[in-house]
Amino acid sequence: MRIGVIISDEPRINDEIRVSQVRLIGPNGEQVGVIATSVALNLAKEANLDLVEVAPNAKPPVAKLIDYGKYKYNEKIKAREARRNQSTAEIKEIRFRLKIDDHDFEVKKGHVVRFLNGGDKVKVTIMLRGREQSRPIGGVELLRRLASEVEEYGTVEFAPKQEGRNIIMTLAPKGKKVHTQSEQRRRGDQSRAERQARQAARLAAKQEAQAQAAAAAKAAVASDKTKTSESK
């Protein structure tokens, strides 16, 4: 029996990096140069950052000093935004019986309004039984009544039409509802931007330490080169 091997997409960080040397990139994107991995790990600890292997197949591998937790958080936000931008309106379905009482009608109408307010289309189906199929006009009238009572929230995209034992109508949210939803999303984006700005302010204190780490790394590289020259 063959045993499958699970390959992780996560990069190696800190002590997971086993090579003896890495080409180090500083926290602000500056090229530090080739340095012993042990030295790079010490620099990461001093700056309260992580050493992350960003190009494992390079020779030597490329590693960067970053806040890995913040990096993962930002990647999660980007993925969420991408999914939301790709999302399309769903089609919800509500089923009615021809002989529905007023209470049930109001309940189902409430569901239709909620879906339309959420930016979704609604497929409304009247299910005909027995002799009801010979008089579909009752179902058409019921759907027209529904469309009239929710016209503030949606418009008829496909007029009532009989398909087999069912009569079907499709409602689409009105433009203003879509605009309202977009405005809500815009406000949400603004709130997220404000939170991120506050987080950036809190992280500002780390910038000095990061700069010191980069300077120390360059000094370490220069020292290694000097020792190498002296040994020759």
Side-chain angles (χ1 to χ4, degrees):
M1 180 178 66
R2 297 179 62 183
I3 300 175
V5 177
I6 299 176
I7 301 176
S8 173
D9 292 331
E10 297 292 328
R12 286 188 287 265
I13 66 172
N14 299 329
D15 293 335
E16 296 174 358
I17 303 174
R18 302 293 186 180
V19 294
S20 60
Q21 289 183 321
V22 294
R23 184 176 298 278
L24 185 64
I25 300 176
N28 296 315
E30 62 273 23
Q31 298 286 337
V32 177
V34 178
I35 190 173
T37 304
S38 59
V39 174
L41 285 169
N42 287 333
L43 293 172
K45 291 177 181 178
E46 290 174 4
N48 196 24
L49 295 172
D50 298 295
L51 184 67
V52 181
E53 191 178 54
V54 294
N57 296 326
K59 303 238 182 248
V62 179
K64 186 175 182 180
L65 294 174
I66 60 175
D67 184 332
Y68 190 62
K70 180 184 175 184
Y71 167 79
K72 291 292 291 181
Y73 173 78
N74 289 335
E75 289 298 305
K76 184 178 179 180
I77 293 297
K78 290 178 183 178
R80 185 185 304 165
E81 291 292 331
R83 287 195 300 269
R84 190 177 66 184
N85 292 336
Q86 293 172 357
S87 64
T88 57
E90 296 183 13
I91 298 180
K92 306 291 187 179
E93 184 172 10
I94 293 289
R95 294 177 178 268
F96 285 72
R97 291 293 184 185
L98 186 58
K99 296 179 180 180
I100 186 172
D101 61 40
D102 290 340
H103 172 73
D104 288 344
F105 179 86
E106 292 298 323
V107 171
K108 289 181 179 290
K109 183 179 76 174
H111 293 323
V112 172
V113 170
R114 177 164 55 85
F115 292 146
L116 292 172
N117 274 334
D120 296 317
K121 297 181 179 181
V122 184
K123 177 182 177 182
V124 187
T125 302
I126 301 292
M127 299 176 291
L128 303 176
R129 292 180 173 179
R131 295 181 181 180
E132 293 174 351
Q133 298 177 53
S134 63
R135 191 176 178 275
I137 188 62
V140 173
E141 292 173 348
L142 183 61
L143 290 177
R144 286 175 178 170
R145 173 190 168 191
L146 175 67
S148 176
E149 295 190 14
V150 301
E151 63 180 354
E152 179 183 352
Y153 310 97
T155 57
V156 176
E157 185 176 59
F158 294 104
K161 177 183 178 182
Q162 185 170 5
E163 294 184 1
R165 297 182 178 183
N166 301 326
I167 301 176
I168 297 172
M169 175 182 71
T170 303
L171 299 170
K174 278 193 172 180
K176 65 179 181 180
K177 297 302 175 185
V178 175
H179 295 328
T180 298
Q181 188 180 34
S182 299
E183 178 65 17
Q184 291 172 346
R185 287 180 177 175
R186 186 191 66 77
R187 291 176 181 174
D189 291 341
Q190 183 177 355
S191 297
R192 282 191 291 273
E194 291 174 353
R195 288 197 299 270
Q196 290 174 356
R198 289 193 294 268
Q199 290 173 351
R202 288 195 295 267
L203 290 172
K206 289 187 177 181
Q207 297 301 317
E208 184 176 355
Q210 293 174 353
Q212 292 175 354
K218 290 181 178 180
V221 171
S223 176
D224 287 345
K225 289 180 178 179
T226 300
K227 290 178 180 178
T228 301
S229 300
E230 290 176 352
S231 63
K232 291 181 179 180

